[in-house]
Amino acid sequence: MEIRSLEVDFDKGTLRINGEELKESPVIVVLPGPEDGFPYRKLFNPELATGRKEECDRLTVMYSKGE
């Protein structure tokens, strides 16, 4: 999937890719956390999940500062 725009709101439980809300599959989203801490993770569409994380789609966003 080509991603041209991305909206992730952990508080509201919203995941939109290219302006469309993803509702057809469970997705584990991973965002950078605090500098020295663990990343933030959330399962979107948990009602569609079977309980096996390997069956979920994954979206990981990485960010690194320049020198």
Side-chain angles (χ1 to χ4, degrees), residues 1 3 6 8 10 15-17 21-30 41-49 53 55-60:
M1 169 189 296
I3 297 177
L6 176 64
V8 179
F10 277 18
L15 174 60
R16 286 189 176 92
I17 297 178
E21 192 165 0
L22 255 56
K23 292 187 173 185
E24 66 273 359
S25 63
V27 182
I28 298 173
V29 176
V30 182
R41 297 175 190 269
K42 180 168 178 133
L43 173 62
F44 288 83
N45 307 318
E47 67 280 359
L48 301 175
K53 64 181 179 181
E55 293 179 359
C56 296
D57 294 343
R58 294 181 176 273
L59 173 64
T60 302

